[in-house]
Amino acid sequence: RFSTAGFMVMYALCVCPVAVGCGPPEVQAEASFDVAREHVLKGEYDQAVTLYEVLGKKPDNTVRAACCRSEVDRQVGDYSDGIERLRAVAAEGQSSAEWHACLAALYEEVGRCEEAERHNLQALSIDENHLRARCQLGGLYEMLGRRRDAIRACEVFEERMTGGELPESAEDLTWLGDGFLRYTAMTRDSNLVHRTRHVLQEVYQAAFHYVDPLYWPARLAAADLLLEKHNLKEAKADYERIREQNPRAADALVGLGWIALDRWEFEEAEKQAETALDANPNHVGARVLLASTRMTERRYADAASVARQALSTNPKSIEALSLLAAAQLRSGDATGLAKTQKRIQAINPKPAKLHLVLGTWLSSGRQFVEAERHFKKAIEFSPGWPQPLTALGQLYMETGEEGLARKALETSFELDGFDRRTFYLLDLLDSLDKFARLRTEHFVIKYDAEMDAVVAPYFAESLEGMYGEICGHFGTEPQAPTIVELFPDHLGFSVRVTARPFIATVGACTGRVIAMAAPRPESPFGQYNWKTTLRHEFTHTVTLAATENRIPHWMTEGLAVYEEPAPRSWMAKQLLSRAVMRGRLFTLESIDWGFVRPRRPEDRGLAYAQSEWMIEYIIGRYEYAAVGRFLKVIREGASQADAFRQVLKIEPAEFERDFKAWASRQAAEWGLPIRPVMETKKVKVKLKDEPDDPDLLAELAYAELLDAEFEAAEASARKALKRDKDQATALEVLGHVLIGRMLREKEDAKRRELIDQAEPYLRRLHDLDPNHPAAIKYLGYVEQAWEQWREAVSLLTRYQGRFPEDPDTYRRLAAIYLRWKETDKALHQYEALFGLTEDDPVVARRIASVYLDRGEYDKAADWFRRAIEVDPYDVDTHGALADACFELRQYPAAEREYRVVCKLLPDDAIGYDGLSRVLEAMGNQEEAATYKRRAEALRGSGDDGHPKQHGDE
């Protein structure tokens, strides 16, 4: 199919083979070339090829048509045939600089560097000012490590940009910008930032805004430059604009893929790479992107396979060879790595790119010592290249060596002050330099003195309290003090961890350094139990130290969760039982993907839960000492598979089978369902043959429920019940859907309406199966909503006895007991609830307040401390804890809490009143009097003449 313009062109060509419109033949031919060029730029390659084939039949146009056609060949990846097509007109093309440049470009795409060099040189011998040939030659020399030759090739760009006349065509403007920037970077010109901005705005943008809006390669050059400088927002906008102009522009699609991968949007990165390969099946860059995606997922064998596919097109691609080497390094293929390195060194004796890539993937695996060596080698081989310096600086930040990090990053920024990632990291270092430091025997805690001074002492106390226990569990102590950095906002934390503005967690550990976001309610993830998080992250520090950072990712996560004080959560049990039902438990190979590339919403949570479950299984079957032995052999260099054989005396595949069988038994012991549930697609296939089968419809409803497709699950359940009103699975699904909707509803009237809708289905389910857990639990909700308190208590208590880890019933029973003024029973429920959730300071404060009112100050103080472990910024909690400690005559503890109140409310008298009381009780009369005067000065008199009270506005 052709556009209207394309159809008119073809019609004219059929009538008059070389003419479009009227006028002299040369004018007609020029118009035809313009139309064909427009087709190329729009990605309408078939139409363009048809025109070029017709135009090429005229002797005067043979070379030009062949050269133009070669751009189509380059865009669609038809490199080898494109070379042959150009060679077919060699007799006519030998005297054309453009013909040689086009042929050189295709030769370079397939790694035939000698031919590419020869033809670029021949082009320049014909026309020394041929910008494309000169830029291609400079890039080729740079790739081959011939830096001096590259600089000489690009000197013309300096002269032309700074003193010559600028070209008129968008094509030549773009080549000029490329060559000028390459020369500037290679010569380490101090005006790189100014020159980069000039090329971006006055060359590339001028080319596609003013000279030729159709010429998207100029916009591509701008987008690639912005991507290189980590200006992802503007780069993405340019790539998307290119995609609108030419949906088959593979380079732009790959650029969008890199942006997605930078954000860990793996599906989007893959999608863009695959779309690029649809447009150009031989696109090396698309396969490099895919290989990088596999590397990020730690699927090293797959990464090596994709890299080899890229090399089948261009066996001299340094990017593809470097990724192959990295995959071989990370998978332990020393022989393959050595061969690949020799291949690269035969192309470029000083391959800085190789060492940057190896350093990057070693650093991602926390092999910092070896990564540092590779980054330094990259810097040695290419001292003017800022990227290895930035990578080295980021490595030093991960190892806590911030002085070295600043030196590397500042050197990088001097070379290229246009790079946003380097700027963000330096800005972060500036912030860290301003942080206060609290040093203990084993830790250095860095924090914002203005925002988080009240938190740091609690961190210190907790960390030192857990140090000996956790180190003892793994027989290892970190060689240097562990650095804990507390960021007042999530943005700073995210940049610290990933050099990106967002990461979906609140804590991270790189080994020696633990970074955390302050547990404020307004952060993206709200409050969390910072004490438990510190224990989790410090376990990472110790297990990484015990293995020299070689521990498998799932194992360090599993051990960290195992060390958390709270029991396995109800949510984790449900995730695990559903995984058993659906056959979705991870394998030893795939479990790490759950952390780095979750394919389903529940995958990351499942990866954490299953990792701990596997640790529990190992300890239960082989005893705790097996963990230490496993870490020891990993430290000595054994692979995970070898560690299973040496320590557990079992093959990994056999371990997986045994674990899955044990997991099924465990889930059954929890009382959770473990019957196999078919995937939704399989049930739908069966329903095609039996569309009215109520059992199949109910099975579909249950599968859809497990996939969180609630509307579909409700519809399928209702269809099943129309055919069989006693179909128990359908009744259960409707109960889950309607009660779940009720729990999410905020309006009381709508909540009651949903309860009333659910009730008859739940009654019927209970009649069919009086022991059905969902029927018992949700009927308890119904009775509570109807204020049938005793019936609600009976049902909820019965359910709680069977499923004590489910936190839902505790809050409801506590509310009923408080209504009945049975405080002891309510306290029992609240205490159990906090033990299961531990992230709700309101529950802890409520418990503490009851004990405080009773005068049981020791229990009140304990619960106020638990509240502080979630919300350390609540002034009332600190004040109440201080009061409890005062009543217990624990004066130093009371003094500390009153001082926290003073920090949180420096202009309020309440904290100073408390300080004066406790200091007086401690016999420090002079200081007590000072704080008493301070309180009186702050209190003053209100407008009504009464003393101002705490809480008055």
Side-chain angles (χ1 to χ4, degrees):
R1 292 191 164 193
F2 299 96
S3 64
T4 302
F7 177 82
M8 294 304 294
V9 168
M10 294 309 301
Y11 176 81
L13 287 169
C14 290
V15 175
C16 182
V18 296
V20 177
C22 303
E26 62 272 14
V27 174
Q28 296 170 22
E30 190 62 41
S32 297
F33 275 111
D34 288 344
V35 172
R37 177 179 181 272
E38 186 173 337
H39 281 310
V40 174
L41 292 172
K42 290 180 178 179
E44 298 165 351
Y45 299 128
D46 290 343
Q47 294 95 314
V49 166
T50 301
L51 274 172
Y52 289 138
E53 286 177 350
V54 173
L55 288 165
K57 291 177 181 178
K58 185 178 180 182
D60 291 347
N61 295 329
T62 300
V63 174
R64 183 180 178 187
C67 290
C68 292
R69 165 69 188 273
S70 74
E71 179 58 22
V72 176
D73 294 328
R74 202 176 67 81
Q75 290 295 330
V76 301
D78 203 359
Y79 307 130
S80 297
D81 287 346
I83 289 170
E84 293 309 312
R85 274 189 280 271
L86 281 173
R87 287 169 59 87
V89 297
E92 299 90 338
Q94 286 294 341
S95 59
S96 166
E98 184 67 16
W99 180 83
H100 286 290
C102 292
L103 191 53
L106 290 173
Y107 275 133
E108 190 169 349
E109 293 283 3
V110 295
R112 294 169 65 174
C113 299
E114 294 80 3
E115 291 98 325
E117 178 188 10
R118 185 174 72 251
H119 282 284
N120 279 319
L121 287 171
Q122 285 182 286
L124 292 176
S125 70
I126 296 167
D127 178 4
E128 64 178 6
N129 293 315
H130 196 282
L131 298 181
R132 177 178 184 175
R134 192 167 288 283
C135 192
Q136 289 178 171
L137 185 62
L140 179 63
Y141 283 150
E142 195 174 5
M143 186 271 288
L144 295 172
R146 295 165 59 179
R147 183 170 170 273
R148 291 182 181 177
D149 290 338
I151 290 173
R152 280 195 295 270
C154 293
E155 284 174 341
V156 167
F157 295 109
E158 169 81 5
E159 298 164 4
R160 187 77 177 269
M161 186 70 79
T162 58
E165 188 174 324
L166 295 183
E168 294 182 359
S169 72
E171 286 90 339
D172 279 346
L173 268 175
T174 304
W175 289 117
L176 175 61
D178 289 353
F180 179 68
L181 282 181
R182 175 167 280 123
Y183 178 83
T184 299
M186 286 189 295
T187 56
R188 302 175 212 168
D189 192 290
S190 59
N191 291 319
L192 178 61
V193 173
H194 172 75
R195 288 172 168 229
T196 301
R197 188 174 289 111
H198 175 79
V199 168
L200 182 65
Q201 297 173 350
E202 306 300 329
V203 179
Y204 295 151
Q205 291 178 3
F208 63 75
H209 275 312
Y210 306 114
V211 177
D212 186 354
L214 287 178
Y215 190 67
W216 58 260
R219 191 185 289 272
L220 176 68
D224 288 345
L225 178 60
L226 291 166
L227 176 62
E228 179 190 339
K229 308 301 181 184
H230 300 99
N231 186 336
L232 303 186
K233 183 178 179 180
E234 292 185 31
K236 184 178 181 182
D238 276 333
Y239 286 132
E240 288 178 339
R241 182 69 183 92
I242 294 167
R243 189 172 55 180
E244 291 171 7
Q245 290 182 261
N246 180 354
R248 300 175 67 187
D251 289 336
L253 295 166
V254 170
L256 287 169
W258 281 114
I259 292 171
L261 183 57
D262 188 84
R263 295 170 175 169
W264 283 40
E265 296 169 356
F266 296 101
E267 285 78 9
E268 181 64 17
E270 274 194 12
K271 174 186 170 184
Q272 297 295 351
E274 296 292 352
T275 307
L277 288 169
D278 287 341
N280 178 346
N282 292 313
H283 199 285
V284 171
R287 297 203 187 280
V288 168
L289 169 61
L290 277 177
S292 297
T293 304
R294 300 291 176 264
M295 288 293 294
T296 306
E297 296 170 328
R298 302 187 175 101
R299 295 165 60 182
Y300 303 124
D302 290 344
S305 176
V306 177
R308 289 190 179 96
Q309 291 174 27
L311 292 168
S312 68
T313 297
N314 182 352
K316 291 189 177 179
S317 168
I318 298 291
E319 290 81 3
L321 283 166
S322 297
L323 272 173
L324 175 59
Q328 291 165 330
L329 173 63
R330 297 296 289 135
S331 60
D333 182 5
T335 303
L337 172 62
K339 291 179 179 178
T340 303
Q341 285 181 302
K342 286 182 179 179
R343 284 180 65 181
I344 295 173
Q345 288 164 351
I347 300 166
N348 182 340
K350 295 184 177 181
K353 180 72 174 181
L354 165 67
H355 292 285
L356 173 64
V357 171
L358 292 177
T360 296
W361 293 110
L362 284 164
S363 183
S364 74
R366 298 190 180 97
Q367 297 301 299
F368 297 124
V369 173
E370 198 174 349
E372 178 187 22
R373 179 172 63 82
H374 282 289
F375 287 143
K376 286 183 173 180
K377 183 62 72 172
I379 293 165
E380 175 191 338
F381 286 163
S382 185
W385 191 18
Q387 197 169 337
L389 284 158
T390 297
L392 182 62
Q394 195 165 356
L395 179 150
Y396 285 140
M397 291 184 71
E398 291 178 352
T399 58
E401 299 170 278
E402 289 169 6
L404 292 173
R406 179 174 290 282
K407 182 178 179 181
L409 291 168
E410 286 182 345
T411 304
S412 177
F413 200 68
E414 286 173 7
L415 290 169
D416 183 5
F418 206 81
D419 189 285
R420 287 202 173 183
R421 180 160 295 171
T422 310
F423 172 82
Y424 287 145
L425 289 168
L426 282 170
D427 190 56
L428 176 64
L429 276 176
D430 290 341
S431 298
L432 285 171
D433 284 347
K434 297 173 186 175
F435 275 18
R437 284 159 172 74
L438 175 59
R439 299 180 185 275
T440 69
E441 183 179 358
H442 302 106
F443 298 91
V444 178
I445 301 166
K446 300 179 181 181
Y447 59 95
D448 185 302
E450 184 177 344
M451 301 285 288
D452 300 314
V454 299
V455 182
Y458 296 96
F459 273 40
E461 184 178 8
S462 295
L463 286 163
E464 288 295 347
M466 69 181 70
Y467 180 86
E469 181 185 2
I470 293 177
C471 292
H473 287 173
F474 302 104
T476 300
E477 290 190 53
Q479 294 182 352
T482 302
I483 299 169
V484 179
E485 296 173 348
L486 179 65
F487 290 87
D489 57 63
H490 197 269
L491 175 63
F493 162 74
S494 297
V495 173
R496 175 66 179 88
V497 175
T498 64
R500 300 173 181 88
F502 183 79
I503 183 175
T505 187
V506 295
C509 173
T510 58
R512 187 188 174 196
V513 179
I514 295 170
M516 290 173 58
R520 289 188 169 83
E522 61 270 18
S523 72
F525 301 96
Q527 293 169 321
Y528 60 92
N529 192 300
W530 55 262
K531 186 174 183 179
T532 294
T533 302
L534 277 176
R535 187 177 181 92
H536 180 108
E537 300 302 338
F538 184 59
T539 300
H540 285 317
T541 297
V542 176
T543 57
L544 288 166
T547 59
E548 293 184 350
N549 294 350
R550 292 190 175 93
I551 184 172
H553 188 76
W554 71 266
M555 180 167 273
T556 188
E557 292 294 357
L559 288 168
V561 176
Y562 189 82
E563 285 289 340
E564 293 177 13
R568 178 177 289 113
S569 72
W570 182 244
M571 182 179 292
K573 285 191 171 184
Q574 289 179 305
L575 277 174
L576 292 167
S577 69
R578 286 201 295 266
V580 170
M581 293 171 71
R582 307 300 292 275
R584 289 179 180 176
L585 286 174
F586 293 109
T587 65
L588 286 168
E589 180 183 359
S590 68
I591 190 164
D592 284 354
W593 307 348
F595 296 106
V596 299
R597 187 186 177 175
R599 294 183 179 274
R600 300 182 181 91
E602 72 272 14
D603 274 2
R604 182 171 280 116
L606 176 61
Y608 280 103
Q610 185 182 328
S611 294
E612 184 202 21
W613 218 16
M614 291 197 294
I615 294 296
E616 181 184 329
Y617 172 66
I618 290 171
I619 291 171
R621 178 171 175 177
Y622 302 97
E623 298 184 346
Y624 195 88
V627 172
R629 295 196 299 273
F630 198 100
L631 299 184
K632 183 174 182 293
V633 299
I634 289 288
R635 180 190 184 100
E636 291 169 352
S639 67
Q640 175 174 273
D642 287 340
F644 272 97
R645 297 182 189 105
Q646 292 178 38
V647 177
L648 307 184
K649 311 300 181 185
I650 193 171
E651 289 293 326
E654 186 181 354
F655 172 85
E656 288 175 359
R657 287 194 301 271
D658 291 352
F659 167 72
K660 288 180 179 179
W662 173 86
S664 294
R665 295 193 298 272
Q666 284 283 298
E669 288 176 12
W670 298 338
L672 291 172
I674 60 168
R675 69 174 182 83
V677 176
M678 283 189 290
E679 295 292 336
T680 303
K681 291 180 180 179
K682 291 184 179 179
V683 186
K684 287 181 177 179
V685 170
K686 285 197 168 189
L687 273 167
K688 288 181 179 179
D689 296 328
E690 302 176 77
D692 295 324
D693 187 315
D695 294 336
L696 277 177
L697 285 166
E699 184 76 1
L700 175 61
Y702 199 75
E704 289 167 335
L705 177 71
L706 294 181
D707 288 335
E709 297 174 4
F710 301 121
E711 291 184 5
E714 180 181 1
S716 298
R718 291 188 184 279
K719 285 181 184 178
L721 291 172
K722 280 185 179 180
R723 291 154 178 79
D724 180 359
K725 66 182 179 62
D726 292 329
Q727 217 300 324
T729 300
L731 291 168
E732 178 187 354
V733 169
L734 266 184
H736 284 303
V737 170
L738 293 171
I739 293 297
R741 194 174 296 155
M742 180 275 294
L743 293 172
R744 294 189 295 273
E745 180 58 59
K746 294 181 179 180
E747 294 184 23
D748 287 341
K750 291 182 178 179
R751 287 169 64 88
R752 179 59 184 262
E753 182 181 333
L754 288 163
I755 280 282
D756 291 344
Q757 285 183 38
E759 187 268 342
Y761 301 110
L762 295 171
R763 294 282 181 205
R764 193 178 304 157
L765 179 60
H766 189 261
D767 291 342
L768 292 168
D769 182 0
N771 293 314
H772 197 290
I776 297 169
K777 178 181 178 180
Y778 293 151
L779 280 175
Y781 290 8
V782 170
E783 300 292 5
Q784 185 181 20
W786 288 353
E787 299 186 358
Q788 302 298 310
W789 308 118
R790 297 197 181 283
E791 291 83 352
V793 168
S794 175
L795 288 161
L796 294 173
T797 302
R798 184 178 162 202
Y799 176 84
Q800 194 178 89
R802 287 179 61 185
F803 301 102
E805 296 89 356
D806 185 346
D808 288 352
T809 58
Y810 293 90
R811 199 183 302 271
R812 291 176 175 274
L813 284 169
I816 296 173
Y817 289 137
L818 285 177
R819 187 182 186 90
W820 289 348
K821 301 190 185 307
E822 296 184 13
T823 311
D824 285 343
K825 289 183 177 179
L827 272 178
H828 172 75
Q829 295 294 324
Y830 278 132
E831 288 178 353
L833 173 63
F834 190 83
L836 294 172
T837 58
E838 76 167 15
D839 281 346
D840 190 345
V842 175
V843 172
R845 284 196 289 263
R846 188 169 293 168
I847 297 167
S849 296
V850 172
Y851 284 124
L852 193 65
D853 291 342
R854 288 180 171 185
E856 297 182 50
Y857 299 115
D858 54 342
K859 292 181 179 177
D862 178 59
W863 280 101
F864 280 128
R865 289 189 182 98
R866 296 192 197 190
I868 288 170
E869 289 171 8
V870 184
D871 184 2
Y873 303 98
D874 185 75
V875 66
D876 292 331
T877 306
H878 288 285
L881 175 57
D883 291 344
C885 291
F886 184 85
E887 295 296 336
L888 291 166
R889 298 187 179 182
Q890 296 173 358
Y891 297 133
E895 178 189 359
R896 182 174 81 166
E897 296 306 318
Y898 284 132
R899 290 192 184 279
V900 170
V901 174
C902 291
K903 287 179 180 178
L904 291 171
L905 293 174
D907 298 323
D908 197 302
I910 190 169
Y912 302 102
D913 278 333
L915 266 179
S916 67
R917 281 194 304 134
V918 74
L919 289 169
E920 192 172 282
M922 294 169 69
N924 190 342
Q925 304 296 333
E926 183 177 349
E927 193 173 359
T930 299
Y931 285 115
K932 188 173 184 178
R933 288 192 296 272
R934 174 65 175 156
E936 290 171 351
L938 285 171
R939 195 161 22 247
S941 296
D943 293 338
D944 58 0
H946 296 294
K948 183 180 178 184
Q949 300 296 316
H950 174 54
D952 289 350
E953 293 186 1

